[in-house]
Amino acid sequence: MKNFRHAFIILTVMAFICPVVSQADIVYIKNEDKLVGTLQSPAFSLMTPYGKIQIEKAFLKSISFVEGSAGQWVIETINNDLFSGMLLTDGIQFLQEDGKRRKIAKSKITRVWREFYGPSQRTTTTIVTMKNNDRFSAKFLDGKLEIRANFITRTIQPRDINRVEFAERYQNGTEILLENGDLITGVLKQNHFRLAPDSVSALNISRTKVKSIQFNAPKMVLKAFNNSAPAEADGDTDGIPDYADLCMDTPAGAAVGMDGCARRPRMSRTATSQKINGHQKAPEKSPAAISGQLPKILFDFDRVELKPRYFSALDEAAVILDRSPLAQVEIHGHTDNVGTEQYNQHLSLRRARAVEQYLVQKGVERDRLFPRGFGFRKNAASNQDVAGRAL
């Protein structure tokens, strides 16, 4: 992801996950000590708002205590699932580097972190987002959905669904976005969903606990491991690894920023442009550049609304454009890789157009603005973890 944030969540289950071999396990203690060694506890139990779950060590990536909450813990798995709730396991068994075995009480722990290196694979899965913001991929065990809309009950197969979105109050209805782009709004007849998450036992979850279900979406999962970090590919040899490079064809020797792009602003003076579907097409060439560059704007997951904290930066950009009446701007929208390519492409364009609309409201002529969507084709960071996808 990058200037603009991601899009969706998921169905079909992940194929196989091999046993993991960790390079190091680290335990962070509340007195700021850090212990390095090997985790010995075979599994961890967590009481979530939707039921008790148990995560085996082979699936564990991290356990973190959330400060300021009443016994709230968050567990992340190696396939980037997130579960939160009360940790039922009293402590952990740990073998330190010096060979000393310890049992560490959970009251003394702030975080347990397992470091992994190794390749990952792409799979198609279903991702469930709960109303407490837990998110996990799972196999959808119910063969179909039945929704009543316009006094007619309709049966829909998972293969035909892109996303199911639930209102805050489930009585208010459900929105189902189909793969063909149709949007159906009605009342879902199922009161519960049977789900088989990748890293825990099957769950029977009430629909009142679910925020959304994303079907038929790609996801990166860990497949195999070794104890040496893989070399970071750098196709254009500009010093920025490909996973963080937004400009993959930088000329040799060009000075680039941390995003891998040449240090020239994107705002440019141009003379002509064309309209396509009511929006401007960027000119083939930009003869000259002006000083200034639009800021990077981050969006909430699967959203297109601008956050107020970016208004001042966009106001400044509008002032720059007002002072440079010949300048034109490309606005690039991006997403993470959660969801289908088609959906993310559309989402990224909507994000770019949200910025376009804000600038128009500030007095910038629309025919000077060129919104473009890149979906998840260009990434500012790795999509293999939550932190990377958020960028």
Side-chain angles (χ1 to χ4, degrees):
M1 309 242 263
K2 41 221 270 199
N3 327 22
F4 299 79
R5 207 184 164 194
H6 42 316
F8 250 87
I9 15 192
I10 18 333
L11 171 84
T12 305
V13 89
M14 318 194 323
F16 303 99
I17 295 185
C18 301
V20 293
V21 178
S22 62
Q23 183 186 34
D25 297 333
I26 303 173
V27 179
Y28 297 87
I29 308 298
K30 287 185 178 179
N31 65 4
E32 299 185 356
D33 285 347
K34 182 174 71 173
L35 307 178
V36 180
T38 304
L39 192 63
Q40 301 291 295
S41 301
F44 299 87
S45 296
L46 195 68
M47 180 58 74
T48 73
Y50 45 88
K52 179 181 176 181
I53 64 170
Q54 179 170 293
I55 298 177
E56 297 182 3
K57 180 176 69 172
F59 284 94
L60 181 68
K61 183 176 182 180
S62 71
I63 306 175
S64 303
F65 179 72
V66 182
E67 293 291 345
S69 62
Q72 183 78 3
W73 294 77
V74 176
I75 291 182
E76 183 179 7
T77 70
I78 58 174
N79 49 18
N80 301 317
D81 290 346
L82 292 174
F83 301 93
S84 63
M86 179 178 295
L87 186 65
L88 301 178
T89 307
D90 290 333
I92 65 168
Q93 302 288 342
F94 196 70
L95 176 63
Q96 296 181 186
E97 284 183 316
D98 59 8
K100 182 179 179 180
R101 291 182 178 272
R102 297 182 57 177
K103 182 174 182 179
I104 308 171
K106 67 179 181 182
S107 61
K108 297 182 179 180
I109 298 171
T110 60
R111 193 182 191 200
V112 179
W113 175 260
R114 309 194 74 205
E115 292 185 339
F116 297 113
Y117 296 104
S120 59
Q121 65 175 345
R122 194 179 187 89
T123 188
T124 300
T125 185
T126 296
I127 298 177
V128 180
T129 302
M130 308 300 294
K131 287 186 176 177
N132 68 340
N133 291 321
D134 286 0
R135 187 169 75 244
F136 53 87
S137 55
K139 180 183 291 182
F140 190 77
L141 299 179
D142 296 315
K144 59 187 178 182
L145 292 179
E146 292 185 343
I147 188 169
R148 186 167 181 80
N150 298 325
F151 306 103
I152 299 175
T153 298
R154 180 173 178 180
T155 299
I156 308 174
Q157 299 298 328
R159 64 176 178 271
D160 298 322
I161 301 173
N162 183 298
R163 182 179 180 88
V164 179
E165 188 84 32
F166 299 90
E168 186 63 31
R169 292 174 55 85
Y170 71 92
Q171 301 95 331
N172 294 344
T174 300
E175 288 188 346
I176 299 181
L177 176 65
L178 301 183
E179 288 283 76
N180 65 6
D182 290 347
L183 182 65
I184 302 172
T185 301
V187 178
L188 198 66
K189 298 190 69 175
Q190 283 97 328
N191 290 320
H192 291 80
F193 300 112
R194 295 182 303 121
L195 303 168
D198 302 321
S199 49
V200 303
S201 301
L203 298 170
N204 188 25
I205 295 178
S206 168
R207 68 178 178 184
T208 62
K209 304 292 186 182
V210 182
K211 180 187 293 186
S212 64
I213 304 176
Q214 175 70 40
F215 291 87
N216 308 309
K219 181 179 181 181
M220 298 301 294
V221 298
L222 295 172
K223 181 181 180 182
F225 302 89
N226 56 58
N227 285 330
S228 61
E232 295 178 337
D234 181 12
D236 54 5
T237 64
D238 61 358
I240 305 299
D242 288 348
Y243 75 82
D245 199 335
L246 307 187
C247 301
M248 299 288 288
D249 55 355
T250 308
V256 299
M258 293 301 294
D259 59 359
C261 296
R263 290 175 179 167
R264 290 177 61 86
R266 294 187 183 277
M267 293 186 184
S268 59
R269 296 181 183 273
T270 55
T272 61
S273 60
Q274 285 182 281
K275 282 192 175 182
I276 295 182
N277 295 328
H279 286 269
Q280 294 298 116
K281 177 182 178 182
E284 295 285 335
K285 297 181 180 180
S286 300
I290 67 171
S291 175
Q293 183 172 3
L294 288 177
K296 290 188 177 182
I297 307 297
L298 296 179
F299 290 82
D300 285 337
F301 181 78
D302 194 27
R303 309 301 298 183
V304 297
E305 297 85 4
L306 288 169
K307 296 181 179 181
R309 68 170 176 263
Y310 297 115
F311 290 172
S312 60
L314 290 172
D315 290 345
E316 183 178 350
V319 171
I320 293 175
L321 290 171
D322 182 61
R323 293 172 179 172
S324 307
L326 295 181
Q328 298 185 355
V329 179
E330 281 193 357
I331 305 171
H332 293 185
H334 306 275
T335 71
D336 65 8
N337 69 345
V338 182
T340 64
E341 181 175 1
Q342 180 181 9
Y343 182 89
N344 278 286
Q345 174 63 33
H346 180 60
L347 179 68
S348 65
L349 181 57
R350 289 173 63 201
R351 288 174 169 172
R353 287 178 174 170
V355 174
E356 174 195 35
Q357 183 61 29
Y358 184 93
L359 294 174
V360 169
Q361 292 173 349
K362 293 296 179 178
V364 180
E365 298 87 348
R366 191 180 297 275
D367 60 6
R368 301 169 60 197
L369 304 174
F370 308 102
R372 298 180 61 191
F374 291 89
F376 51 65
R377 289 177 292 161
K378 293 185 177 182
N379 299 316
S382 169
N383 276 294
Q384 295 186 32
D385 55 48
V386 174
R389 290 192 296 272
L391 295 176

